[in-house]
Amino acid sequence: MPKVIGTHSGTFHCDEALACYMLRQLNEYSDAKIVRSRDPAVLETCDIVVDVGGVYDHEAKRYDHHQRGFEEQFSGNYKTKLSSAGLIYKHYGKEVIRSIVKEAELSNGAVEQLFVKIYEAFIEGVDGIDNGVSQYPGDLEPAYRENTNLSARVAHLNPWWNRPEGDMDERFAQAMQLTGSEFAERVQYYALAWLPGRNIVEEGYNGRFDIDKSGQIVLFDTFCPWKDHITTIEDENLQKNPEVAKILYVLYPDTSGNWRVQAVPEKPGSFVSRHPLPEAWRGIRDDALSERSGIEGCIFVHQSGFIGGNKTRDGAVALARKALTMD
């Protein structure tokens, strides 16, 4: 007999829609029926219940987060209180990841890395919004409104106040499809693109002293998204040795076969670089830049100093090395 997943009736939200989607990725609940009710007698008959019932009990398979005194977090490294999505992910997320990317044949270590990364990059935002946790201090005035996040788009699937409800179960199924498709795409990206990228960045980081004795220049023979990885790998190494020098420049080939020199941002998402390329080079191009820098093959340096280019690998290394000594 198929299992039964219970959740609340009425207006739905992103967290329980995503929680139900994740449960359906597991063999145990792949063909489960979803029952939406607030009747305790009905919920009592369900095999697993999310976002309703006033109980969090993993052994009993009850995963509500609305009850007084609930303060569960993903781990001691996080402050955001879990929603029903976070609870299901905390207990079943590793199985869900393996189910979505079966073809990857992930090691236990890889799954552990993905488990944490996907929580930070996807699930925590759902938890925070559902629990009303602000991203910034309340005394700050937002510069603009943002109503296009996943939680907002799920909310828009609910009926308008002045229109008939229609089939709420069908609307909830749409919410599950919306949250699930975006979640699955992100899991696939992190497993099949982000994780292989980390391997490239880690290899470059470990070979940084082969590029320059300062250890502050990292070179990749193949481009990959690197900013997030650099910060994580640096943090891991700083925990072992607080004296480790931070990376200032990353070098990589672009799609045209030329080479880029990019300044590392102060933190992921920041537009402020740790050590921008020298002011004297900014906004200068081609031969004029080669003459000013004393390095052949220069292509450009952006006017903000966050990135520059050279025609060759050796030229890019020379630019980065010289930039270390300048402001």
Side-chain angles (χ1 to χ4, degrees):
M1 174 179 275
K3 299 277 188 176
V4 178
I5 300 170
T7 190
H8 62 80
S9 55
T11 299
F12 50 79
H13 309 96
C14 183
D15 70 313
E16 77 267 19
L18 180 56
C20 289
Y21 173 86
M22 287 191 285
L23 286 172
R24 278 218 174 140
Q25 306 316 298
L26 306 176
N27 290 335
E28 185 177 1
Y29 299 104
S30 60
D31 60 350
K33 177 182 178 182
I34 294 177
V35 171
R36 302 181 68 244
S37 176
R38 293 186 183 275
D39 184 342
V42 172
L43 295 173
E44 182 65 29
T45 66
C46 297
D47 296 285
I48 189 168
V49 176
V50 300
D51 210 42
V52 68
V55 175
Y56 166 47
D57 184 339
H58 177 52
E59 295 301 319
K61 292 184 168 49
R62 294 312 188 249
Y63 301 95
D64 197 10
H65 65 110
H66 297 98
Q67 58 273 21
R68 185 181 181 89
F70 178 89
E71 295 293 339
E72 190 76 10
Q73 297 157 348
F74 185 62
S75 75
N77 297 325
Y78 300 87
K79 297 180 180 179
T80 306
K81 186 167 70 170
L82 299 180
S83 67
S84 62
L87 283 171
I88 293 301
Y89 186 78
K90 179 173 182 173
H91 291 288
Y92 303 98
K94 294 176 186 178
E95 296 175 64
V96 171
I97 290 168
R98 287 191 183 278
S99 175
I100 291 174
V101 286
K102 295 184 182 73
E103 72 276 19
E105 297 183 355
L106 300 168
S107 68
N108 291 338
V111 171
E112 190 64 42
Q113 287 182 324
L114 291 169
F115 183 56
V116 173
K117 179 59 183 178
I118 292 165
Y119 180 74
E120 293 176 348
F122 196 100
I123 302 293
E124 187 174 18
V126 175
D127 288 343
I129 290 173
D130 194 79
N131 284 304
V133 179
S134 180
Q135 291 179 288
Y136 46 81
D139 58 351
L140 293 180
E141 186 71 22
Y144 57 87
R145 292 188 178 185
E146 202 292 289
N147 291 311
T148 58
N149 60 68
L150 181 58
S151 295
R153 285 182 282 123
V154 169
H156 296 160
L157 293 174
N158 283 286
W160 300 353
W161 68 273
N162 57 352
R163 295 283 179 88
E165 281 192 358
D167 188 340
M168 287 297 287
D169 287 346
E170 174 58 29
R171 288 179 178 270
F172 185 72
Q174 292 175 23
M176 284 179 58
Q177 173 61 30
L178 173 62
T179 59
S181 62
E182 295 198 15
F183 174 73
E185 189 279 330
R186 288 290 84 191
V187 171
Q188 290 167 346
Y189 167 77
Y190 286 113
L192 304 177
W194 178 86
L195 193 61
R198 179 189 162 100
N199 296 334
I200 292 172
V201 175
E202 194 161 26
E203 182 179 346
Y205 183 86
N206 291 337
R208 64 195 185 280
F209 289 104
D210 296 334
I211 305 302
D212 187 76
K213 64 181 180 181
S214 69
Q216 294 184 292
I217 301 171
V218 166
L219 183 146
F220 309 135
D221 289 318
T222 302
F223 171 78
C224 69
W226 53 266
K227 294 178 183 178
D228 187 32
H229 295 304
I230 280 287
T231 302
T232 302
I233 292 168
E234 275 187 336
D235 288 344
E236 291 170 359
N237 281 270
L238 283 167
Q239 289 176 7
K240 301 172 186 174
N241 179 9
E243 302 302 318
V244 170
K246 288 196 170 185
I247 304 302
L248 298 185
Y249 298 117
V250 167
L251 282 52
Y252 54 86
D254 63 21
T255 55
S256 65
N258 296 315
W259 280 76
R260 297 295 178 97
V261 179
Q262 189 163 351
V264 176
E266 287 188 348
K267 56 185 177 180
S270 173
F271 293 108
V272 179
S273 300
R274 292 175 178 174
H275 195 273
L277 291 167
E279 195 279 332
W281 300 351
R282 298 176 199 171
I284 311 296
R285 300 187 61 88
D286 304 320
D287 290 343
L289 179 57
S290 292
E291 183 177 350
R292 183 169 293 198
S293 65
I295 298 167
E296 292 183 0
C298 289
I299 300 173
F300 78 101
V301 168
H302 191 274
Q303 61 184 359
S304 70
F306 90 96
I307 195 169
N310 193 280
K311 294 177 181 178
T312 69
R313 180 185 188 276
D314 289 345
V317 171
L319 273 175
R321 285 176 174 169
K322 193 162 188 177
L324 289 176
T325 68
M326 299 172 64
D327 293 323

